[in-house]
Amino acid sequence: MLKVNLSLFVAFIIFTGNSLILNHSPSQKNELVKIANDSLLIGFTCPPDLLASYFAGPSIVPSPSCLAVAASGEVFVGVDMIGSLGKTPGKGRIVKLIDADHNGKMDNYTVFATLDNPRGIISLGDKLYVLHTTFSKETGKASGMDLVVFEDKNNDGIADDASKPLVQNICSPKFLQSRGTDHSTNGIRMGIDGWIYISVGDFGFTDAVDRSGKKLTMLGGGIVRVRPDGTELEIFTHGTRNIYDTAIDPYMNIFTRDNTNDGGGWNIRFSNHIQSGEYGYPSLFKNFTEEIIPALVDLGGGSGTGSIFIDDASWPEKYNHVPMMADWGRNQLFIHRVQPDGATFTQTEEEFIKLRQITDVDVDATGQMYLSAWDGAGYSGNPNKGFVVRVVPKDWKYVAFPDIKKSTVAQLSTLLKSSSGMARLAAQQELLSRTANDAIEVSWAIASNKSLSLDVRVAGIFTYAQAAGASGISNLVKLAAEEPVREFALKALTDRKANISKVPLYLFQKGLKDPSLRVQVASIIGLGRLGRVEAAKALLEVKVPASFLAPAKGKEGPHATPNSAIVVPHIAVRSLVSLNALDACIAAIGTKNSTIALWALRYMHSPKSVNGLIAAYKVAKDLKSKKEILATLSRLYKKEAPYDSSWWWSTRPDTHGPYYKDIVWESSPAIKTLLIKEWNKASDKSFFVDLNDKNRMGIIEFGSGEVIAAKEEVKVDLQKIRNKKGQVGESSIEDVMLAMAKIPGKAELGKTLFTKQGCIACHSLSTSESIKGPFMGQIGSIMNREQIAESILKPNASISQGFASVMIEAKGDMNYMGFVTEETSSQLTLRDIGGNVSKIKKSDIISRKELETSMMPAGLANALSYEELASLITFLYNQKK
């Protein structure tokens, strides 16, 4: 009893120091005792001008993977007892939490629905949208992921009927089965434009189908979007690794934080997503960086999860109007201070709220913020871990949000002008459910009112566009004449492809010359969506900046350095490709617009484009133009294989590019014939060697200039190390963990032990070293001391993503066990526990099985003293970027 009271006393001191309220019901007090003993909330911190309260714990919301808050304050939590690597169904649900007296403590709850692996939730009126994994009733195995909608019209906290599918098969089932839902499709969020934005991990998907029957395939990660009725599914951006959620501001600027830490140096990247943009992962973001929209910053190691853009006047100005990004690996909710930079932004990251393994964040229309914490629930869920916290400004006062179902049209109009983004969205969606005439009248009055703030007018514009459809074109054209709202009127005019047949082309051609780069981008995107190829000539006039520069051979390009100058031409190229503007691009070769034309032609795999390039080469006069044309042809020599979800590039992909799984196609022979002819005539053949290497054409005649230096690999007998017994080996893990909390350790000693204990066999500390197992050069940015200690003492408890042991049976009676250090479409590179490296042809593999145990054997620290282990932990914790 003394131990419990002492823990509570310590917890009380820490919690009150961080403004955490400790008024709880008896059942919650019992839960809080357990939390204090487990040190789960002790690491919580938030600014002193905020108040936090422990809202619900693991007896109700264990392993919370995501959450969403209704405008009126009801909290919906996705309980995921499968976790990211588990594979057994029947362990998930959506729990609805109610705080009837609004004091920051859950009063009652219901199980709203049962489903597996909830990954995203949106609450709007009596509808609840959920993204989750589906399982086959016959096999018990994952069969895909669906976006579904539930209804609760009687408001009893339980879904009325089974869910209705909106989008099906929006994740590859093969890798959900073999790995689990870790690189899958994730968070969902609705913008004020009425689209549901879906974060797609790099599993990608094949033949996702929406309610209209439209099918869509995407290789790798990015953002897709769909209407709330499940129609018009389309790709929004492409080329991110594993985003978990989006933050969307009132002007439809979208931000993400990649969840990229799998130990190989692929760090977290904070990005601004611009419609149709290509972000490059994994094939372009190192060696072809001139072609991508780079991230705004590389933040080092971590694991981005939920996110939100705060737009609520009840919050202090310093915390308002900012994207907030949760990072599971860094145990933090971060603020990103974004500043306009041409058509994009720059940013500064700030620590905001510290919460152990935070998974998600959302805000209601009254200003209450809710955060969910995974809290050590592991990769397969834990019934005793996880909780939800509420945070509000210190001077916050509850003001009830009206029942919008009972609100009049006039009241909805008032809410659409609210200073809360959540209130505006809720009012908009309810207004759109009323008669079309009412919705049109109210939204147009707001959209056209020049005295209203810009965010409110933007809400009015997008509400009007949704309500009026094609009949609203003439009014939106009028708004496009107004400088403050021109960008948004242009966006709204082409937002729905079903309504664009009568949208005037001249408006967007004129927008290309607008002083505002944001208006230029909106115009260019619109031209691509209008689908009128006559716009190509104007698009080819877009200037390409000096920053359009390929990285030097052997050097990684700046994939996470803001480059606002590249955005306008990049989007112009995407629109040219969308228009399939072959003739216009070919005609522009050799003119002042040659650079952008050749850039666009890199992606046009057509016999017509190849023949046009070859013809242009024959009449080109200067050497520079000839080389540029040959470089474009070399890029077209191969193309990406059609994606069928039978393969995935894994967590350790080949990042050389320009394609991951390349194939030759019908025009490859013609390209090869020309290249060899010119190679034979050239006195300096290095240009062709470099093209062969960069584009991985595999033309044997050219040879290769690549030199792969032999590297001496560290060989360690780890079994000898683990069998020694010292102070650590003779103690319980619990006693060791308690000791580690008290002993600071010596980093220099830890550095020596890193080599002595065999860590160096499977882990590198610098990106200049060969990447082996989980990268340790930034481990202190990802884990705290306690987590590092646990991963050493219990390696099977939390296997680093991308480093599960793999057992391979290959032809010739060969068997291998290790972890994959690199994977191409044709070869695996495997490292075993002793540091030995094997390269295995995929065509030789008979079977490949991922094991559930770590390659790192337990007991490697047994021979150490407490001081030595603490020193090793200190050394590793000091490895930060």
Side-chain angles (χ1 to χ4, degrees):
M1 186 65 185
L2 177 62
K3 182 178 179 180
V4 171
N5 287 339
L6 180 59
S7 297
L8 278 173
F9 176 71
V10 172
F12 177 79
I13 293 173
I14 294 173
F15 292 171
T16 52
N18 291 300
S19 304
L20 190 65
I21 301 167
L22 288 182
N23 298 317
H24 296 271
S25 66
S27 62
Q28 287 178 307
K29 284 181 180 177
N30 289 336
E31 200 162 62
L32 190 61
V33 171
K34 182 182 187 310
I35 288 169
N37 284 333
D38 286 348
S39 300
L40 299 184
L41 267 178
I42 288 178
F44 179 93
T45 62
C46 70
D49 51 353
L50 302 179
L51 291 173
S53 55
Y54 178 76
F55 193 73
S59 66
I60 299 166
V61 287
S63 307
S65 58
C66 56
L67 61 76
V69 190
S72 50
E74 296 84 2
V75 183
F76 295 86
V77 180
V79 170
D80 183 11
M81 294 297 295
I82 300 178
S84 61
L85 298 182
K87 301 175 182 67
T88 306
K91 297 179 179 179
R93 57 189 178 271
I94 304 295
V95 180
K96 181 178 182 180
L97 309 176
I98 304 293
D99 176 11
D101 55 7
H102 316 292
N103 66 347
K105 294 167 284 184
M106 185 275 300
D107 297 315
N108 55 74
Y109 72 95
T110 56
V111 177
F112 183 86
T114 57
L115 45 75
D116 288 306
N117 279 136
R119 276 295 181 269
I121 309 172
I122 298 170
S123 174
L124 280 172
D126 53 19
K127 290 184 171 66
L128 193 77
Y129 299 87
V130 182
L131 179 74
H132 71 100
T133 305
T134 58
F135 283 80
S136 166
K137 292 181 179 178
E138 290 75 25
T139 66
K141 294 182 178 180
S143 54
M145 297 188 80
D146 288 356
L147 174 64
V148 303
V149 62
F150 293 95
E151 289 186 303
D152 180 16
K153 291 186 176 179
N154 61 4
N155 198 33
D156 64 354
I158 300 172
D160 296 340
D161 296 298
S163 64
K164 297 176 184 177
L166 300 177
V167 181
Q168 295 173 282
N169 309 320
I170 198 162
C171 187
S172 164
K174 179 174 182 178
F175 304 104
L176 292 172
Q177 292 171 11
S178 62
R179 286 187 57 86
T181 314
D182 67 335
H183 281 240
S184 65
T185 305
N186 296 300
I188 55 176
R189 192 167 291 281
M190 183 180 283
I192 199 63
D193 58 359
W195 290 87
I196 295 175
Y197 289 81
I198 306 170
S199 302
V200 180
D202 67 340
F203 279 168
F205 55 84
T206 301
D207 286 340
V209 59
D210 71 8
R211 286 312 85 210
S212 70
K214 177 182 179 180
K215 291 184 177 180
L216 190 69
T217 292
M218 185 158 82
L219 169 61
I223 298 174
V224 300
R225 66 179 190 171
V226 70
R227 299 305 301 174
D229 64 357
T231 62
E232 303 179 48
L233 181 67
E234 64 181 33
I235 293 173
F236 186 76
T237 58
H238 178 264
T240 52
R241 180 176 179 270
N242 195 29
I243 57 174
Y244 198 87
D245 202 1
T246 57
I248 307 176
D249 79 2
Y251 311 107
M252 291 309 306
N253 296 302
I254 298 179
F255 304 94
T256 65
R257 187 179 177 104
D258 269 21
N259 174 1
T260 64
N261 179 59
D262 55 18
W266 299 279
N267 298 339
I268 312 162
R269 291 180 291 273
F270 177 75
S271 299
N272 169 215
H273 284 252
I274 299 171
Q275 187 171 3
S276 77
E278 170 59 53
Y279 291 78
Y281 185 88
S283 298
L284 301 178
F285 87 115
K286 287 193 173 179
N287 299 313
F288 298 85
T289 47
E290 78 276 17
E291 299 181 28
I292 70 171
I293 296 180
L296 301 185
V297 67
D298 184 321
L299 294 163
S303 297
T305 46
S307 57
I308 191 171
F309 190 95
I310 294 294
D311 180 26
D312 193 300
S314 69
W315 276 71
E317 186 57 33
K318 61 183 174 181
Y319 306 133
N320 197 15
H321 307 302
V322 290
M324 293 183 178
M325 301 286 177
D327 195 298
W328 182 93
R330 293 190 179 184
N331 307 300
Q332 284 275 357
L333 180 66
F334 290 93
I335 286 174
H336 288 268
R337 304 283 179 193
V338 291
Q339 294 293 328
D341 179 24
T344 182
F345 297 87
T346 57
Q347 71 80 52
T348 304
E349 183 196 57
E350 294 178 10
E351 293 185 359
F352 180 43
I353 293 175
K354 189 170 181 64
L355 187 66
R356 180 170 153 137
Q357 292 184 332
I358 179 173
T359 54
D360 210 353
V361 55
D362 205 4
V363 176
D364 70 9
T366 74
Q368 297 177 99
M369 177 187 286
Y370 294 86
L371 307 97
S372 55
W374 191 250
D375 200 27
Y379 290 111
S380 299
N382 187 315
N384 301 311
K385 303 282 188 179
F387 57 89
V388 174
V389 169
R390 188 198 73 164
V391 178
V392 294
K394 212 165 192 177
D395 59 357
W396 176 85
K397 302 294 182 185
Y398 177 73
V399 177
F401 186 74
D403 184 343
I404 58 172
K405 285 294 178 187
K406 297 178 182 178
S407 297
T408 65
V409 171
Q411 289 169 332
L412 292 175
S413 174
T414 299
L415 283 174
L416 194 54
K417 293 179 279 191
S418 167
S419 59
S420 161
M422 293 296 290
R424 293 195 297 271
L425 180 61
Q428 177 197 73
Q429 292 301 302
E430 177 59 28
L431 188 59
L432 291 170
S433 73
R434 305 293 177 90
T435 67
N437 285 340
D438 284 341
I440 289 170
E441 182 180 349
V442 167
S443 57
W444 177 249
I446 293 172
S448 58
N449 188 339
K450 297 180 181 181
S451 68
L452 295 174
S453 61
L454 182 58
D455 54 353
V456 170
R457 291 192 72 189
V458 169
I461 288 170
F462 282 115
T463 307
Y464 177 76
Q466 293 173 74
S471 68
I473 290 173
S474 59
N475 274 336
L476 290 172
V477 169
K478 292 177 186 176
L479 286 182
E482 292 186 34
E483 187 275 328
V485 295
R486 182 173 301 137
E487 171 192 351
F488 311 103
L490 292 171
K491 283 184 177 181
L493 278 164
T494 58
D495 206 34
R496 308 283 295 279
K497 287 191 174 181
N499 300 331
I500 62 175
S501 62
K502 295 183 179 180
V503 173
L505 183 66
Y506 80 87
L507 203 61
F508 296 84
Q509 292 171 321
K510 181 180 178 182
L512 287 175
K513 305 296 184 182
D514 196 275
S516 166
L517 293 178
R518 294 182 62 88
V519 170
Q520 290 182 33
V521 167
S523 300
I524 292 167
I525 293 169
L527 289 171
R529 294 181 68 77
L530 285 172
R532 300 174 200 171
V533 74
E534 59 266 36
K537 184 177 179 181
L539 290 170
L540 286 164
E541 295 285 340
V542 173
K543 302 303 178 187
V544 179
S547 57
F548 180 71
L549 188 65
K553 184 178 181 180
K555 300 292 184 181
E556 183 175 315
H559 59 79
T561 301
N563 183 7
S564 60
I566 206 67
V567 171
V568 173
H570 177 98
I571 299 301
V573 166
R574 304 317 304 167
S575 287
L576 286 165
V577 174
S578 178
L579 294 171
N580 195 30
L582 287 170
D583 291 334
C585 289
I586 291 167
I589 297 172
T591 72
K592 63 179 182 177
N593 302 325
S594 186
T595 300
I596 194 168
L598 290 171
W599 181 2
L601 284 165
R602 296 181 189 188
Y603 316 112
M604 298 182 186
H605 286 83
S606 162
K608 189 174 185 180
S609 63
V610 170
N611 293 337
L613 283 161
I614 291 173
Y617 180 79
K618 290 177 179 178
V619 299
K621 302 299 183 184
D622 62 287
L623 182 60
K624 180 175 180 290
S625 295
K626 282 180 171 290
K627 283 189 172 183
E628 288 173 346
I629 295 169
L630 289 177
T632 306
L633 284 165
S634 298
R635 176 63 173 274
L636 291 170
Y637 179 70
K638 288 187 175 181
K639 68 178 184 178
E640 195 71 64
Y643 187 52
D644 61 5
S645 287
S646 65
W647 55 273
W648 173 55
W649 44 56
S650 83
T651 58
R652 313 298 297 278
D654 171 23
T655 56
H656 184 284
Y659 312 107
Y660 180 75
K661 190 173 184 178
D662 56 27
I663 56 172
V664 293
W665 59 292
E666 61 181 293
S667 290
S668 297
I671 296 171
K672 183 176 180 180
T673 297
L674 176 66
L675 291 174
I676 289 179
K677 178 183 176 182
E678 296 305 307
W679 175 76
N680 283 327
K681 293 192 303 185
S683 56
D684 180 5
K685 302 187 186 302
S686 62
F687 173 71
F688 295 89
V689 173
D690 289 346
L691 286 179
N692 201 32
D693 289 343
K694 180 168 185 175
N695 295 294
R696 287 193 167 176
M697 292 187 288
I699 297 176
I700 296 172
E701 290 86 343
F702 292 171
S704 174
E706 289 186 330
V707 178
I708 302 174
K711 294 183 179 179
E712 180 136 355
E713 302 291 350
V714 177
K715 306 296 190 299
V716 179
D717 188 344
L718 298 181
Q719 296 304 315
K720 286 184 179 179
I721 296 173
R722 71 182 293 200
N723 290 332
K724 292 180 181 180
K725 297 294 179 183
Q727 190 177 11
V728 171
E730 293 170 355
S731 306
S732 69
I733 287 180
E734 291 76 11
D735 286 342
V736 175
M737 293 295 285
L738 287 170
M740 293 305 100
K742 299 176 182 178
I743 302 172
K746 300 172 183 176
E748 281 303 311
L749 174 59
K751 183 177 181 180
T752 301
L753 291 165
F754 185 80
T755 300
K756 181 180 176 183
Q757 293 306 116
C759 310
I760 198 170
C762 292
H763 304 284
S764 50
L765 293 169
S766 168
T767 53
S768 63
E769 301 173 35
S770 174
I771 296 297
K772 307 171 185 178
F775 180 57
M776 295 289 111
Q778 58 197 24
I779 189 66
S781 298
I782 303 166
M783 293 183 174
N784 58 32
R785 287 177 56 87
E786 180 184 346
Q787 291 167 325
I788 294 172
E790 183 179 18
S791 67
I792 294 171
L793 297 168
K794 297 195 299 181
N796 290 329
S798 56
I799 301 169
S800 293
Q801 291 188 37
F803 299 97
S805 304
V806 175
M807 179 71 75
I808 290 178
E809 178 188 359
K811 293 176 183 177
D813 247 359
M814 299 297 292
N815 291 282
Y816 305 86
M817 187 174 79
F819 54 82
V820 177
T821 58
E822 185 176 81
E823 182 167 355
T824 71
S825 59
S826 59
Q827 179 177 270
L828 284 180
T829 303
L830 206 72
R831 179 181 289 269
D832 70 16
I833 192 63
N836 302 294
V837 175
S838 301
K839 294 186 180 293
I840 309 161
K841 290 183 179 179
K842 283 190 173 179
S843 58
D844 289 342
I845 295 175
I846 298 170
S847 67
R848 173 179 175 176
K849 181 180 179 183
E850 191 170 284
L851 305 180
E852 295 185 0
T853 55
S854 170
M855 259 182 49
M856 176 179 167
L860 289 182
N862 282 351
L864 302 180
S865 68
Y866 281 177
E867 177 68 32
E868 288 173 322
L869 178 58
S871 297
L872 178 58
I873 293 167
T874 297
F875 170 70
L876 292 172
Y877 182 66
N878 288 346
Q879 306 307 305
K880 300 180 181 182
K881 277 194 173 182

